[in-house]
Amino acid sequence: MTTTGRRALLTAGVSAAAAAAVSGCTSEKPAPRKPGAAEPEAERVARAEAALRLRSVTASRTLLERYDAALAAHPALASRLNPLRRSVAAHAEALGEGGTTVRPATAAPTAAPASASASASASAKPTASPAPVATDPRAALKELATAERTASDAHTAALLTAPPEYARLLASVAAAGAAHAYLLTEGARA
């Protein structure tokens, strides 16, 4: 390649860079960006989904608090209630994924990792105490079964407005709640 060819290429490159730099500098202010028609709709959908998630998590957290109260009142039921309580806690956590911030449930009667309980207590808000627990263990189980059915019904009702992925999760949690209600009542007789 000759020297003239290199000089021409260098000159062309410098000229293109200068033209690009000069054309980007203007004294005019850019026009304000107008939101498109889809943006307000997307905001509305996002707010509705956040409210749905909050209601779903609140229903599960309330149920979790009922389990905690029943376990505190009837420690002899721990072997029967702890597996169900762990399941409800996992459901509450899964329902809250996706950015919803809700108050954590009260600490479990079983030992929890120190870091999890420390972060939960840091963001905890004062709450009303859960409903009183029956003194009879069988009545307490029936109350828990009723609470499971109530939470399951709430999750089922939320299916109508939930986005598809969240609806699948709600359906699974509602079905598990129905199974828990069975195990708390009819499952005891078998």
Side-chain angles (χ1 to χ4, degrees), residues 49-50 52-58 60-61 88-102 155 166 169-170 173:
E49 184 177 346
L52 172 69
R53 284 181 181 271
L54 182 61
R55 284 190 307 272
S56 299
V57 172
T58 300
S60 290
R61 297 282 184 182
V88 170
H91 295 159
E93 184 177 336
L95 288 170
E97 290 176 356
T100 301
T101 55
V102 294
H155 296 317
Y166 199 65
L169 178 60
L170 284 170
V173 171

Side-chain angles (χ1 to χ4, degrees), residues 108-119:
T110 58
S115 63
S117 60
S119 64

Side-chain angles (χ1 to χ4, degrees), residues 119-177:
S119 64
S121 63
S123 62
K125 295 180 184 175
T127 61
S129 60
V133 179
T135 55
D136 178 40
R138 286 184 184 172
L141 290 176
K142 285 184 181 181
E143 288 173 355
L144 269 178
T146 301
E148 281 278 9
R149 284 187 200 97
T150 301
S152 179
D153 290 345
H155 296 317
T156 301
L159 290 172
L160 297 174
T161 58
E165 192 67 30
Y166 199 65
R168 285 188 281 276
L169 178 60
L170 284 170
S172 296
V173 171

Side-chain angles (χ1 to χ4, degrees), residues 1-112:
M1 191 174 227
T2 65
T3 308
T4 309
R6 288 184 192 154
R7 284 185 188 158
L9 181 62
L10 182 61
T11 304
V14 170
S15 297
V22 171
S23 68
C25 298
T26 62
S27 61
E28 296 179 24
K29 293 181 182 178
R33 186 177 161 290
K34 295 180 182 177
E39 288 181 21
E41 178 65 17
E43 280 183 33
R44 185 191 65 74
V45 168
R47 282 193 307 271
E49 184 177 346
L52 172 69
R53 284 181 181 271
L54 182 61
R55 284 190 307 272
S56 299
V57 172
T58 300
S60 290
R61 297 282 184 182
T62 301
L63 180 60
L64 190 58
E65 290 172 355
R66 295 292 303 259
Y67 271 94
D68 291 342
L71 283 164
H74 304 286
L77 295 174
S79 64
R80 185 169 180 188
L81 295 182
N82 277 333
L84 299 176
R85 188 208 175 275
R86 281 191 301 270
S87 177
V88 170
H91 295 159
E93 184 177 336
L95 288 170
E97 290 176 356
T100 301
T101 55
V102 294
R103 62 177 174 75
T106 57
T110 58

